[in-house]
Amino acid sequence: MNVDDVDSITVLGAGNMGHGIAEVAALAGYDVVLRDIEDEFVRKGYDQIEWSLNKLVERDRLSQEDADAALARVSTAVDLGEAVADADVVIEAVPEKMAIKKEVYTELEDHAPDHAVFATNTSSLSITELSEVTARPERFCGMHFFNPPVRMDLVEVISGAHTADETLDLVEDLAESMDKTPVRVRKDSPGFIVNRILVPLMNEAAWIVHAGDATMAEVDATTKYDMGLPMGSFELADYVGIDVGYHVLEYMHEVLGDAYEPCPLLSEKVEAGDLGQKTGKGFYDYEDGEGAEVPHDEGSEAVKNRLLGVMANEVAGLVENDVADPAAIDRAVKLGGRFPDGPAKMADGAGIDALVDALDDLHDETGEERYEAVAYLRDLAQSGEGFYGGEGSSDDAPAFDDISVEVRDGIGHITLDRPHRLNTISIELMDELSEALDALADDDEVRAVLLTGAGDRAFSAGADVTSIAAGGGDAVSGVEISRKGQQTFGKLEALDKPVIAGIDGFCLGGGMELAMCADLRIATERSELGQPEHNLGLLPGWGGTVRLQRIVGTGRAKEIIFSADRYDAETMADYGFINEVVENDGFEERAYEYAKRFAQGPPVAQRYTKRAMHNGWEDTDSGLEVEAQAFGLLFTTSDLMEGIAAFTSDRDPEFTGE
């Protein structure tokens, strides 16, 4: 069976994950049966799907017609036989208890069609052990969605010991058809990829505080600001639910040994029922206190190296045991954990030898197994190479990590490729963008440049504040960050070729400043634009104070910056910032066709037109002189002769730039 043969999907379990998976499947066009053991649970899950679809409509992420069609594809059931009678794929999302899941699969085997594929949404339990309850272990795998499934892009596709390659191929294709990014986990291993990285990291953070080696504020400041992670370790534990991570850790401890012994700090919270935001209190107090207020200036280099060392050790263990390669691990953790960078690349940046030394010192001091460096990590340290430079590295690691570049039909297409962070702009992304622009500037085959953002949620939501402003309060570094952005974005503006920004979704702050450097801007109806820097006590620092007023006028520019409001695409078109507003559907194709139109223009004339206009911004006489000199130069070009010949022959010109 391949993905084209899949028509009907049954989701077992109507809780948060179950109804979310059902919604995603229905949006992808599948007929979905949502099943739970009581009608009350099923009805609540169905109502949540309807609520979520309506929210997508309110936010212009979905049309009302498409939302109604998706909901119509969802039916509900309590009787298991009825629920799976026509199922091609059954996705199980019942509570994360091995005994409960085994009981479900034992009953499921009696009712499901012989051809049906079983996929469990478990976040850590053994795929192999679950599959052996059924009579179809070769057609059984893990399909681990992340919460909430509607918003999170990652799906871990996990092989059990008996899983056939055809099953993994089918489930990967199924995930892609749902507009998700599948990452294959080649071997059944507790925690798979993302939880295998995040849960030990959470545990180590707790051990650091438990041992009195640092305060909770120091640990969270380090993880959130010095490491650039989306939340502090304790803040994240509260957000996810301390019990959720703790139960995963318990299972890993049971299967993998004492290196994964849960810290008493975690067990105490679980026993007390202080599980985080959902109970009003966890490591932070959300009822009587101020919640998670993480100081930005209390980071610790020692804590950072300790956490990076533990994380690198987990990555090395996964690679050593052939669970996944570094590129897959990095991709999964960036998507599932919203890391600014992958853990393998972060470890390479810190230096593998330094991290092994930190682990060795901790092991000598404490004797704890969790600090014992795995053989593969030690080999990398001795060789002086990192995950992307040694034998275990991926052969097809991309040339760029945070952007992608494609040249086709004379268009150099740059995509900001950090959808897990709403394509926010980091220092690393700016470095890659600068390199890509230099290459496109020198490529005579490139006649126009198109700049877009990956996914349909954001062109770019601005600067990656946590990674760029790590440590904070340093005026000198702030000036350098501003200049770096100005210089990088300036390359886009100075490019001697038409530049088109294709905006879909959020275009905020630094993202809008980047779009200002394009010659033309096209945006979807659902796009939101704005300069929110004043809400942060900042000002636009990557050229916005200068460039925006040139485009929309001084009065409008001040309104946009001072208000810090968000503006829809139609309003920004009225202001002159957007050249064309298009429908949400088919945006990529429309943006490409828009760029292609300008790629067919006369390259020499376009080059000198930009130069004349830019010179004229500050000095009218200078601009007019460039215009006159360019006008004379163009009289000598072959393109002029081609343009005249095409005009007299009533055909489209074919300019060559000569």
Side-chain angles (χ1 to χ4, degrees):
M1 182 167 63
N2 60 48
V3 72
D4 293 333
D5 300 318
V6 177
D7 296 314
S8 180
I9 295 174
T10 296
V11 179
L12 303 181
N16 285 340
M17 291 304 297
H19 72 66
I21 294 168
E23 180 180 355
V24 167
L27 284 168
Y30 296 103
D31 292 326
V32 181
V33 180
L34 181 64
R35 186 262 178 180
D36 214 315
I37 56 175
E38 293 185 19
D39 186 67
E40 175 190 353
F41 300 156
V42 174
R43 174 50 54 185
K44 185 176 179 181
Y46 182 88
D47 289 345
Q48 283 297 114
I49 293 174
E50 185 174 20
W51 176 87
S52 176
L53 290 170
N54 287 335
K55 279 294 180 184
L56 291 174
V57 172
E58 286 177 19
R59 295 169 182 165
D60 291 330
R61 312 303 300 172
L62 194 67
S63 70
Q64 187 65 59
E65 181 182 1
D66 287 342
D68 292 342
L71 191 64
R73 285 190 283 269
V74 179
S75 58
T76 60
V78 172
D79 181 78
L80 182 60
E82 175 190 342
V84 302
D86 299 318
D88 299 308
V89 175
V90 179
I91 302 174
E92 166 268 308
V94 304
E96 192 77 348
K97 299 287 185 182
M98 182 67 81
I100 295 175
K101 289 182 183 288
K102 283 185 174 181
E103 183 179 342
V104 167
Y105 282 113
T106 299
E107 186 180 0
L108 176 61
E109 190 63 65
D110 294 334
H111 296 284
D114 291 339
H115 74 279
V117 167
F118 294 171
T120 174
N121 185 57
T122 181
S123 61
S124 61
L125 300 179
S126 171
I127 306 300
T128 302
E129 187 174 344
L130 287 171
S131 75
E132 290 173 347
V133 174
T134 76
R136 62 189 84 195
E138 75 286 351
R139 279 179 285 119
F140 190 112
C141 72
M143 190 180 190
H144 180 212
F145 290 80
F146 284 72
N147 193 27
V150 174
R151 291 179 55 193
M152 296 294 281
D153 292 329
L154 177 66
V155 173
E156 290 178 326
V157 178
I158 309 113
S159 176
H162 313 296
T163 308
D165 287 342
E166 292 78 9
T167 300
L168 295 171
D169 292 341
L170 167 65
V171 173
E172 281 190 349
D173 291 344
L174 187 63
E176 287 182 347
S177 75
M178 296 177 183
D179 216 14
K180 301 300 178 187
T181 302
V183 173
R184 185 173 295 198
V185 184
R186 297 193 290 243
K187 189 180 291 184
D188 191 5
S189 182
F192 313 133
I193 294 176
V194 176
N195 280 335
R196 185 65 168 269
I197 302 296
L198 293 186
V199 172
L201 196 67
M202 175 193 74
N203 196 35
E204 185 57 28
W207 278 112
I208 290 171
V209 174
H210 179 72
D213 295 332
T215 65
M216 191 170 76
E218 289 170 332
V219 172
D220 270 8
T222 300
T223 48
K224 187 168 186 175
Y225 297 109
D226 291 6
M227 295 172 67
L229 306 190
M231 294 182 179
S233 294
F234 294 99
E235 183 184 12
L236 178 63
D238 278 358
Y239 176 78
V240 173
I242 297 170
D243 56 324
V244 175
Y246 179 74
H247 291 316
V248 172
L249 196 58
E250 278 189 312
Y251 179 71
M252 292 169 70
H253 183 211
E254 176 187 339
V255 176
L256 298 173
D258 287 343
Y260 300 90
E261 177 187 358
C263 176
L265 213 57
L266 300 174
S267 55
E268 289 166 7
K269 291 293 181 184
V270 173
E271 289 168 10
D274 295 333
L275 307 180
Q277 290 187 18
K278 62 186 175 184
T279 61
K281 187 176 181 181
F283 290 110
Y284 294 94
D285 191 335
Y286 300 90
E287 289 183 342
D288 300 323
E290 297 177 339
E293 291 198 347
V294 181
H296 66 263
D297 56 354
E298 293 190 29
S300 161
E301 190 69 19
V303 170
K304 180 180 178 181
N305 287 337
R306 186 165 169 175
L307 293 173
L308 284 172
V310 168
M311 191 164 63
N313 212 28
E314 294 301 330
V315 173
L318 292 173
V319 175
E320 183 177 70
N321 291 301
D322 196 34
V323 176
D325 66 23
I329 294 167
D330 279 357
R331 185 164 60 253
V333 176
K334 285 197 294 183
L335 290 172
R338 297 198 181 280
F339 275 35
D341 222 332
K345 191 178 177 191
M346 290 172 70
D348 282 357
I352 301 297
D353 54 346
L355 298 182
V356 169
D357 287 344
L359 289 172
D360 286 345
D361 289 344
L362 288 163
H363 189 261
D364 291 342
E365 180 184 337
T366 67
E368 296 291 347
E369 286 187 28
R370 64 182 178 276
Y371 303 128
E372 188 170 344
V374 302
Y376 181 65
L377 189 68
R378 199 171 292 282
D379 289 344
L380 290 181
Q382 291 172 352
S383 70
E385 297 179 323
F387 287 105
Y388 286 101
E391 294 176 2
S393 65
S394 173
D395 292 333
D396 56 355
F400 294 117
D401 294 305
D402 295 324
I403 67 172
S404 62
V405 181
E406 178 190 26
V407 176
R408 179 164 57 99
D409 296 334
I411 299 170
H413 185 182
I414 300 175
T415 304
L416 308 182
D417 197 8
R418 303 179 82 226
H420 60 294
R421 303 274 283 198
L422 294 178
N423 300 320
T424 48
I425 298 165
S426 63
I427 297 296
E428 292 76 14
L429 185 146
M430 282 195 280
D431 288 338
E432 292 185 4
L433 180 60
S434 178
E435 183 180 343
L437 289 172
D438 288 343
L440 294 178
D442 293 337
D443 189 342
D444 292 336
E445 298 299 315
V446 174
R447 304 271 291 272
V449 171
L450 172 64
L451 186 66
T452 61
D456 62 359
R457 295 185 62 204
F459 169 75
S460 171
D464 189 340
V465 177
T466 55
S467 66
I468 285 180
D474 184 343
V476 174
S477 64
V479 170
E480 292 307 311
I481 289 167
S482 177
R483 286 176 176 161
K484 186 178 185 69
Q486 291 171 354
Q487 291 162 4
T488 302
F489 294 3
K491 286 187 177 184
L492 196 71
E493 184 177 68
L495 205 64
D496 275 343
K497 305 171 185 189
V499 178
I500 297 91
I503 299 166
D504 186 18
F506 298 123
C507 180
L508 305 172
M512 186 169 163
E513 290 178 283
L514 179 61
M516 290 175 201
C517 295
D519 300 303
L520 303 153
R521 286 161 289 275
I522 180 173
T524 56
E525 296 168 338
R526 64 185 165 212
S527 295
E528 294 182 32
L529 301 92
Q531 297 290 158
E533 287 86 355
H534 275 199
N535 284 337
L536 302 174
L538 287 171
L539 56 71
W542 288 339
T545 59
V546 174
R547 294 190 177 101
L548 184 57
Q549 62 181 322
R550 290 174 176 169
I551 301 169
V552 301
T554 301
R556 286 296 188 198
K558 288 178 179 177
E559 172 200 323
I560 292 167
I561 294 171
F562 289 170
S563 72
D565 287 342
R566 295 185 184 183
Y567 296 80
D568 60 41
E570 290 287 356
T571 299
M572 292 303 287
D574 290 342
Y575 288 178
F577 189 83
I578 299 297
N579 295 85
E580 185 173 333
V581 179
V582 299
E583 294 181 355
N584 300 328
D585 294 339
F587 171 69
E588 282 284 346
E589 182 180 351
R590 181 70 189 90
Y592 187 80
E593 288 301 317
Y594 189 83
K596 192 173 180 180
R597 171 185 169 192
F598 297 99
Q600 294 168 344
V604 181
Q606 289 174 333
R607 179 188 314 147
Y608 283 103
T609 298
K610 286 185 68 170
R611 290 182 185 178
M613 293 177 76
H614 291 176
N615 274 273
W617 275 340
E618 300 297 339
D619 187 331
T620 301
D621 290 340
S622 174
L624 291 173
E625 181 59 27
V626 172
E627 179 183 273
Q629 294 294 329
F631 194 82
L633 178 88
L634 292 172
F635 265 80
T636 69
T637 63
S638 299
D639 277 354
L640 177 64
M641 297 300 102
E642 166 62 15
I644 293 171
F647 176 76
T648 57
S649 302
D650 195 23
R651 62 174 174 81
D652 292 330
E654 295 182 6
F655 296 116
T656 62
E658 298 176 355

